[in-house]
Amino acid sequence: MKSARFSPSIATSVAGALLVGMTAATVVGPGAVDSYAASGTALPIAHFAHMVVDASHGHLYISGGAGTDGIVVTDLDGGNPTTISGEPGATGLALSADGSALYAALPDQDAIAAISTANLTESARYDTSSGTHPDSLAVADGTLWFGYGTAGAGGIGSVDAAGTVNLGQDAGSWAAPPTLATTPTPSGVLAAAVQTGDTSAVVTYSAQDGALTRQAAKSLPVPDLTDFAVTADGQHLAVSSWLRASSNRYRVSDLTVDGQFATPVAARAVAVAPDGTLAGCGCNYEFEAFPETGEGYYHLYEIESPMRLAAHGLAWAPDGSRLYAVTVDAAGGTPTLQTARNPETAWVRLSGTSTTAPLAPGEAYAFRANFDSPLSLGAGEPMIPGTVRITRYDDTDPDGVLVPDPTAAPARPPVDFFGSYQVSGTAPLTGALSFRVDYSGGGHYGPAIQTFDVPVAKYAPTLVLTAPDTGGRAAPLTVTGRLVWPHAHVKTGAVHVVKTDLAHPSGYSVGTVPVAADGTFALHDTPQIGGANTYSFTYDGGTSYLPASQSATVQVARATPGLSVTTDAKSYHSGATAKVTAHLGTTHNSRLVTLYAQPTGKSRTALKSGKVDTHGNLVASYKITRNTVFSAAFAGDYRYAPRTVTTSATLTPTVRTQMQYPVKTTGIGSITYQVFYKSEVTMGFNLQVTPRQTGGCTSVYVEHYSSGAWHQVTSQKCVPLYSDGWYGYGRALKLFTSNDRYRVRGLYTPPAKGAQTGGAQSGWTYFTVRPGRP
């Protein structure tokens, strides 16, 4: 694509970079958007082949090609459809020079039908001979010309005013039925083309007295020929290609490149209006109207995916007031007619720039109105055509006053592409300032209106504060600040201060502080309330500036209160209830305490919250189910800081023991011994832990009494409990000395990590072993 096509958008970006402090509103006219969606009407036909506009009779004629039985006829809005039946497989269409007849190629019938445009009935049918399969039609010099043939062999025929059919009107050979094109208004120019591999064979003719005279023949670099057109003056060809899109204008006389079209011709269809405007696009899902030469385009019309422009799917109303497009789906079905109105009028967008932003009251300014459009100026045009009116609005003239003779500045690329209009003056002392720009439109440019607000004397200066991070209660402190303007300012407005502390969470006014000429101010205070003291400063702006706010927080020291939490025991058995007591010492204006319990592995929950009693105590009860951390929290008050303290309580599990297979008991001294006989083979000792925790383990210790003291003789350390909480320990009785004294006990150890209980051990169980049998 030519880079020049995009120059209007470059102008937009430059203007945007110059726009300082401007806001815009009230956009009207066609310049509000860059592209337009044309209205769509579904056509009562399965496929699309060709379209002709008959403005004098108010008709559109649309053929569908193979598999269809008639020609669809609608009004110029695509409505009120009817069908000219009995025209099977109609493809190419053309109007006679006087518009009285519609010609339709019938390839499967080897014929061409002539249909009266007055009553929409067939008036004649011309036999083109068997196997000719006429397809593409064009009327030049009053003669109907048609391309015919099959793949591998084609030719050009004619039908004269008397209805005589002549074949082989071109002495050359064609590799396929040629597609024909001529000017949008009657002339003697005819062009024909056929794709031949990676190129397309193109021939131009002069049609006169029913005969064709070759002007030029050439292979053009078009590997995907779908459509081409002859310009309105008959001097050039526009050849469409998607794979090798270009803006080349091919001269009819010799088919050499002769300049460039305003935009590349790359869509599946291209059409020329009688005034020379072209329709096409460099895309599949859009089509646009653009001038033959110059830069840019008038309108870009979007096609909603998956629909796309059909081959030969563009046609102009003779007066250029409408552009018709037929879109189809990916399979070539669901033909839909798109009607674009006023396609030769380009949108215009207005932008405004100001030399200063924001304006101080009474400050001089210069306001400039700029233009943007997809259509560039024509050669020799110094600025966009049409008239511009600029109206100023302020408090003095709220209804607006027209600015007389704004200064016009011609286009100066790359600053702007369309010229600009400038007004100057001084900003009002108070109130708003705005300009409305009215552009009348002119030539191919549409009208536009836009209002631009210029910020005047409503700038928020920067407000900076300096304050200490901390301070003592009842000790003086100072917060200083400064207002900073970006330019010389009018002294106006005041600084108000609101203070927020624990006693005044919604804040209260501490007055207004004076502002020095250089914008500095200071607040002196002696806070009586500890904790966060926040000072919020607000500059009200007065009559000339926007408000500005800033705040500073000083942490004022508070005393540490006396606080403790205790339990009535340090260890509890499962199911026991702990008595938890919080004690609060001296405070100022709050006696609220909250007691919490957090069992191991669980979330903290509140046990009780309230005021302590006259002794400073708050008491709660809690049923112990696992190791628990108790905490007491004081939220703080005006003079005493928040504080939290903790204590821990341990759950001690119960260890039950049981001897297996003792025969009897006997007393030795004051101790009862279990009696075993070696004939029993094994001594068994069982123990159970409640509650237990996965990962905990048990140990068993056996001691022997000798030389007046107990000595450990064996042990089994830290083995897991069974799933039912028991563990069984056994030892061969032959290992024990007969008639000596022994004792055994178990010890439970919780997991090293995340223990929910403490450890516990059983009492000693005493036993003796005797020889033989009982």
Side-chain angles (χ1 to χ4, degrees), residues 140-155:
D141 192 45
T143 297
L144 173 64
W145 307 92
F146 60 92
Y148 67 89
T150 58

Side-chain angles (χ1 to χ4, degrees), residues 491-583:
K491 186 176 181 181
T492 177
V495 174
H496 308 277
V497 186
V498 171
K499 179 181 176 181
T500 303
D501 57 26
L502 291 175
H504 309 88
S506 299
Y508 67 98
S509 174
V510 293
T512 299
V513 295
V515 180
D518 63 355
T520 59
F521 54 85
L523 172 73
H524 305 285
D525 189 35
T526 303
Q528 300 299 315
I529 305 299
N533 281 240
T534 299
Y535 300 88
S536 299
F537 293 77
T538 299
Y539 169 61
D540 61 21
T543 58
S544 299
Y545 296 95
L546 291 173
S549 298
Q550 190 61 268
S551 63
T553 298
V554 180
Q555 291 292 339
V556 176
R558 287 185 283 179
T560 301
L563 182 66
S564 64
V565 59
T566 58
T567 55
D568 57 348
K570 297 305 291 182
S571 176
Y572 299 87
H573 285 286
S574 181
T577 298
K579 178 182 178 183
V580 187
T581 303
H583 180 77

Side-chain angles (χ1 to χ4, degrees), residues 34-100:
D34 292 346
S35 59
Y36 302 78
S39 57
T41 302
L43 295 172
I45 195 168
H47 305 284
F48 170 78
H50 208 76
M51 172 172 51
V52 166
V53 182
D54 180 8
S56 61
H57 294 91
H59 289 152
L60 298 179
Y61 305 113
I62 301 168
S63 62
T68 59
D69 184 54
I71 299 170
V72 174
V73 184
T74 73
D75 59 27
L76 295 179
D77 291 323
N80 301 310
T82 186
T83 300
I84 303 172
S85 59
E87 309 295 342
T91 56
L93 302 175
L95 284 176
S96 62
D98 61 3
S100 64

